[in-house]
Amino acid sequence: MKTVGSGPSMRFPLPTAPADGPIEQVIRARSARAGGAHVRRHLPHPLRRMIGAWCFVDHFGPSPRGAHDVVVGPHPHIGLQTVTWLLSGRIRHRDSLGTDAVISAGQVNWMTAGWGISHAEDGENDPGEAVHGVQLWVALPDTHRRMPPAFHHDPAPTTFSVGAARVTLIVGRMGVHVASAPALSPLLGADVLLSGAAELPLEPHFEYGVVGLEGSVSVGEQSLSAGTSVYLGRGRRSLQVVGDGRVLLLGGVPLDEPVLLWWNWVFRARAEIVQATEQWNAGDARFGVVVGAGGKRIMAPAVIETD
Ligand code: MN
């Protein structure tokens, strides 16, 4: 467990911020397909594009199909970081950096695409073992979106208790606790396993969302279960959660940049999308090669006309 001397709330005192506040939006996740699996897509959503730099939230499973139910062939990413967090099951990750790593429940995979990377995912589960988790994307700020690609595996993320909550830090900091993930903008991602009530400390200058994963957890008047999330906006110093279940708390300073999401990429201009599509489909060295993947290479779709 990593600790620092002073919590961020001490560095950003906003005495006018309320301890709690209104729920600004209730989001019913869209149903989507990813890697052959049914997913609940919380972001992007017609009601909300981003929370801080978080720009994509897919909640998948629990799938009871067991072994090899996750097969995602080699595909590229640009301009973002992907975060994989599993509640159960295992997934094998291979990428164009030569990484070959199995992620298990309770561990964090953090892949920085930067200028360009490709990767593939395959289930590594025992028969009957459910695969259940989330995949999130973080838009890289303009200052870092062309950086070299990188991969970070955290086998034992920081875990601590707050009231009746067991909190696992995927990224960022809460109170004195700090995650090891390499975030490039002010960001929080925390798994909150709850059996009772807890008051979680927040940063008033962050905006927040809470994603229901399992069971039932109440935020104010709103009950959250799988498929439902809330957007809380900014200005809170704490969040009261009550119930039996599990939620994902996401937060960050709003990314004040015109982010374009297309396929597996985050860009700022359409011309960049056209170039990347041509490069990936032609096998350009920008994205490297994934060795040993179980699935077929996934081609980029044609770029639609927007004008
Ligand atoms: Mn991917």
Side-chain angles (χ1 to χ4, degrees):
M1 183 178 293
K2 300 172 186 67
T3 58
V4 294
S6 64
S9 61
M10 296 169 66
R11 291 166 47 224
F12 299 98
L14 290 181
T16 57
D20 228 322
I23 290 171
E24 295 201 7
Q25 293 171 316
V26 177
I27 293 170
R28 309 286 177 194
R30 294 183 290 157
S31 178
R33 306 278 302 177
H38 165 79
V39 301
R40 303 166 196 88
R41 185 156 294 161
H42 292 265
L43 289 183
H45 188 278
L47 292 177
R48 173 133 302 272
R49 296 187 68 216
M50 299 177 71
I51 299 168
W54 299 106
C55 62
F56 184 91
V57 178
D58 263 5
H59 175 202
F60 53 89
S63 162
R65 286 174 292 163
H68 306 300
D69 55 355
V70 176
V71 178
V72 184
H75 61 279
H77 289 285
I78 299 172
L80 55 84
Q81 296 174 301
T82 69
V83 182
T84 305
W85 168 250
L86 296 182
L87 282 67
S88 63
R90 286 180 294 168
I91 293 175
R92 185 168 181 173
H93 160 98
R94 297 179 178 90
D95 65 36
S96 53
L97 300 171
T99 310
D100 184 349
V102 173
I103 180 173
S104 301
Q107 303 181 332
V108 178
N109 271 5
W110 190 278
M111 186 178 78
T112 301
W115 173 249
I117 195 170
S118 55
H119 77 133
E121 289 158 309
D122 294 283
E124 284 276 313
N125 300 284
D126 297 328
E129 186 178 14
V131 179
H132 187 195
V134 287
Q135 174 152 132
L136 309 119
W137 296 356
V138 179
L140 287 170
D142 195 47
T143 49
H144 289 84
R145 67 190 184 96
R146 298 176 189 82
M147 67 184 286
F151 180 81
H152 174 83
H153 175 75
D154 186 349
T158 298
T159 298
F160 54 95
S161 292
V162 180
R166 194 70 195 159
V167 178
T168 304
L169 267 189
I170 296 168
V171 62
R173 54 196 294 169
M174 185 181 286
V176 297
H177 306 282
V178 182
S180 69
L184 293 160
S185 62
L187 211 58
L188 175 84
D191 177 281
V192 179
L193 183 59
L194 189 66
S195 181
E199 186 170 0
L200 306 172
L202 302 184
E203 305 283 350
H205 63 300
F206 276 27
E207 57 181 348
Y208 287 94
V210 188
V211 179
L213 296 179
E214 285 185 320
S216 179
V217 173
S218 291
V219 173
E221 300 287 298
Q222 184 63 44
S223 172
L224 297 178
S225 54
T228 306
S229 54
V230 287
Y231 173 70
L232 303 174
R234 301 172 76 171
R236 287 173 176 245
R237 285 189 286 112
S238 68
L239 175 68
Q240 182 83 31
V241 285
V242 181
D244 272 296
R246 194 161 185 160
V247 294
L248 190 66
L249 174 62
L250 301 176
V253 173
L255 189 67
D256 190 20
E257 296 180 22
V259 167
L260 287 181
L261 212 61
W262 172 257
W263 195 41
N264 295 311
W265 301 328
V266 170
F267 288 119
R268 299 296 184 279
R270 185 177 178 278
E272 297 176 322
I273 300 174
V274 173
Q275 179 195 41
T277 298
E278 289 172 359
Q279 288 173 327
W280 170 253
N281 287 346
D284 191 274
R286 175 177 183 174
F287 303 100
V289 174
V290 183
V291 176
K296 275 196 210 163
R297 195 172 183 278
I298 301 170
M299 299 299 277
V303 181
I304 55 170
E305 293 296 331
T306 54
D307 299 325

